[in-house]
Structure formats: structure tokens, C-alpha cells
Amino acid sequence: MYLLLGLTVFLAACGNGSGEDASAEGNPDESDSAEANDDPIVLVWYPNESGNELEDGRDEMGAIIEEATGREVEHQLTTDYAIAIESIVNDNADLAFTGAEGYIQANDRNDAIQPLVVPSGPSGTEEDALYYSWFAATPENMEEYSDGEGGYALDNFEDKNFSFVSSSSTSGFRVPSSTLVAHFSEQEEYADLEAEDLAESGTLFNEVMFGNTHQGSAVNLLNGRADIAAFCDTCVENYVEVVDGEENTAGAIYQISEDAAQPFESMGGEEFGIISATPVLNAPFIMNTGTLSEEEVASLSETMTSDEVANNEKIFVPEDSDAPALFTKSADERFVEVEDSWFDPIRELNQ
């Protein structure tokens, strides 16, 4: 048995996307004020996707956006989630690739920020547009978290050193913190525990650290700074391989590839194991409808959801390829439109 937070909620919510123009949500008049211009479209990337190994994928996304809009694309690489969110909220960026939590934070502060597309699941729809948030430990320490029945439990997480990703990360903070609060708040000592409390050392954990990227959180685990770490499957899949068990299941053991790029370049052969795997809504490309025209939004949506892009192996890299991938193609993956309401299950974790 492994710990799955709100699986039914997440899966049910995945059926809410209608495929209609996402810019109809929020303030539909914002895009009317965006005059056509020749300035570059600024596309912001989270730190997880800002590494050199993903440059080809980023450049191909830029080329697709340039084709759709007729405007040059300027890539803004970041070292902090907050920088990416601030850029698009403050109208200094037109597009960004964020997690669901990052989108919700941006939309809360500027309702012109709306979802453009999300990568689908293997079905080619939003129904299975999911990835996984992990609690991970080193294999030699996994027995500490055994539930005595062949699975794992959270009880012995107390007083450990713990690594999150960023407070703006969906799978690296919002989902794992909600899981922890739901579990430990049932104990009298932690009855008033809230997600924000978990960011502080000495509350539930002995020491709390943030990796700033999913890769960085994994490094905190592997170098011994953290006893347990939260990070997601898709952000480390370019660096690891399953060596025991089934992927995205509790008890699975992953190993860092010998030729892994930074920040794992000196960690080839190191291993970690999965304590729990929780399904999470896929990360969206989001848009600023206050800086993009209606025509640009329509063209971006049509182009990005096209069969041509779905079949572009520089965007959706075949799963048997060794090339680093922004997105992996195992079946019928493609970009699909979703509405703002599709992200409500993540919003509900904040309440």
C-alpha cells in the first residue's frame, strides 16, 4: 500500500477541461488592449527547465511560438520560482511554463494570467494529464518508514531533516505539505499545523531546506543533507533509471545514470527509493492575456494543439530516445487546452 493523496479528487478533476479557449476565463477584455507589436515574446522557464541539457527543447518551443505569432521569442531562464511568477504577473513576460501552484499564485495576483495548454497524458487528453510527487529516501534508510505491512507510512518523518523544492512548487511543496498536514494534524501535538509551518525548521522537522529545483531537492537527499526529500518524477527522469520495482510506486529504487548532467554529474550510481507517489495535475504553459492580442492567443492555441507539434520529436521526445526531453512521447501525448477550473483540486489544497 502506498500513500496517495486525493487520487479520486485529482482524477475526477481531470475530466473538467472542456478544450474551450482558456482566455475566456478571467478578464476577457484584457487581450483587446494588447496592441500588435514587434517586441519579442518573453517566455519564462522555471529553474527545473533552465538547464543546458534542455536548450534544444526550449529553442524548438521558441520556434513554434515564433511561427504562430510572427514575433521573435526571448527565453528568460531563472534560478528561482518566484522570479518566473513575478515576471509574468508584472507584465514583464508573455508566456511561462509553470506548475499548477505557480499558475494559481500568478492568477490570484493578475487575472489576465490564464492557462494556454498542458501536456496531455498518454491518452492524448486531459483525463490522464498527471505526473507524480514523490517522498524519497535513500535505500538504506527506507526501512525506517515501514508501516509493518509491506508499505510505508509518514509517522517516522517527525524530527527528520527534510528537503522541499520551493514554496511555489506544486509537487515539491503544495502537495507534499498538504499530505503531511492531513496526516500529522490528527495528532494533538500538531492539531493546528498548517502547510506554511512546514517551511520552518523545528516545527515538524528538525531541519527544513529548499532545493530551489526538483533536481536540487534530490541532490539534498543524495548528499546526505536531507533524510527525506520531496521532488517529482518528470523533473528527474532525464537523469535516472528504475533499477528495482515499478516506476512511480512505493518501494521502487531509482539510480542516477553514469552520464547524468548537472547537478548529478558526480553522482552516477547513487540510488534513492520511493516512499510514496502522489498523482498531480500536469504543469501548464500559461499566458498573459494583457500583453498578448486575441489573435496571438488564438494562433498560439491552434498551433500548439496541432498534430504537427504533437508529432514533433524535439518537443515530445520518444520514450526510447536518450535525448533529454521537456516532454516524453509514450503513446498519444500532445498539448491540450484546459480551463482555469481544471486547477481547482490544487486550489483546494490551499484551503
Side-chain angles (χ1 to χ4, degrees):
M1 179 184 71
Y2 45 98
L3 303 165
L4 294 179
L5 168 67
L7 175 57
T8 302
V9 174
F10 285 134
L11 291 178
C14 290
N16 290 339
S18 70
E20 296 176 358
D21 183 1
S23 65
E25 295 288 332
N27 187 346
D29 295 326
E30 291 285 352
S31 58
D32 292 336
S33 63
E35 297 180 2
N37 63 71
D38 296 326
D39 294 338
I41 285 179
V42 178
L43 170 58
V44 183
W45 298 94
Y46 267 180
N48 311 303
E49 289 77 37
S50 291
N52 292 335
E53 72 279 4
L54 294 176
E55 182 177 6
D56 289 346
R58 293 193 303 266
D59 287 347
E60 188 67 11
M61 283 301 311
I64 288 167
I65 293 166
E66 288 179 354
E67 179 183 353
T69 62
R71 293 168 62 185
E72 180 185 351
V73 170
E74 178 182 304
H75 296 278
Q76 181 179 334
L77 308 183
T78 63
T79 57
D80 188 276
Y81 280 54
I83 294 172
I85 294 170
E86 288 293 328
S87 292
I88 196 162
V89 165
N90 295 325
D91 297 339
N92 293 319
D94 306 283
L95 299 168
F97 183 60
T98 69
E101 176 68 16
Y103 163 66
I104 290 166
Q105 291 182 11
N107 174 258
D108 282 347
R109 295 173 57 192
N110 182 347
D111 63 6
I113 310 304
Q114 292 293 317
L116 177 59
V117 295
V118 299
S120 77
S123 71
T125 73
E126 72 274 17
E127 296 288 340
D128 54 354
L130 300 168
Y131 65 111
Y132 290 84
S133 173
W134 289 340
F135 285 135
T138 54
E140 61 268 23
N141 293 331
M142 291 177 69
E143 187 63 27
E144 292 185 39
Y145 313 108
S146 171
D147 63 3
E149 299 178 357
Y152 299 92
L154 303 179
D155 299 322
N156 291 337
F157 280 24
E158 187 177 12
D159 294 328
K160 298 296 186 181
N161 295 333
F162 193 96
S163 179
F164 291 109
V165 174
S166 162
S167 60
S168 297
S169 172
T170 309
S171 57
F173 184 76
R174 183 54 57 190
V175 169
S177 64
S178 297
T179 303
L180 292 162
V181 168
H183 179 81
F184 282 98
S185 62
E186 295 181 355
Q187 302 177 20
E188 183 177 355
E189 181 182 357
Y190 298 110
D192 298 324
L193 186 68
E194 296 183 357
E196 288 67 25
D197 299 330
L198 296 174
E200 301 293 332
S201 298
T203 303
L204 176 64
F205 300 114
N206 175 57
E207 181 182 353
V208 174
M209 62 202 76
F210 288 87
N212 294 320
T213 65
H214 289 263
Q215 297 93 326
S217 188
V219 167
N220 283 339
L221 174 68
L222 293 171
N223 67 17
R225 289 193 63 209
D227 301 307
I228 312 159
F231 51 96
C232 81
D233 64 323
T234 56
C235 287
V236 299
E237 65 182 358
N238 289 320
Y239 312 91
V240 303
E241 55 189 340
V242 179
V243 293
D244 188 31
E246 183 179 347
E247 64 180 15
N248 288 317
T249 61
I253 303 298
Y254 287 74
Q255 184 178 84
I256 305 298
S257 302
E258 292 294 342
D259 59 351
Q262 292 183 336
F264 301 104
E265 71 276 17
S266 63
M267 294 184 170
E270 296 286 334
E271 295 182 343
F272 61 84
I274 306 305
I275 300 299
S276 74
T278 302
V280 184
L281 298 176
N282 271 356
F285 278 96
I286 64 176
M287 59 185 171
N288 189 332
T289 62
T291 63
L292 294 168
S293 69
E294 287 187 347
E295 292 77 10
E296 287 169 335
V297 168
S299 182
L300 282 167
S301 177
E302 180 180 1
T303 299
M304 292 183 72
T305 59
S306 67
D307 290 343
E308 181 180 359
V309 170
N311 294 323
N312 186 328
E313 294 189 355
K314 293 182 179 179
I315 301 297
F316 291 97
V317 178
E319 64 176 349
D320 59 356
S321 171
D322 292 330
L326 284 170
F327 310 103
T328 302
K329 187 87 162 185
S330 64
D332 296 321
E333 287 88 349
R334 61 188 302 122
F335 291 126
V336 295
E337 293 177 313
V338 293
E339 293 181 339
D340 172 82
S341 60
W342 192 70
F343 299 94
D344 284 349
I346 304 299
R347 284 191 175 95
E348 291 168 5
L349 295 179
N350 297 344
Q351 298 173 357

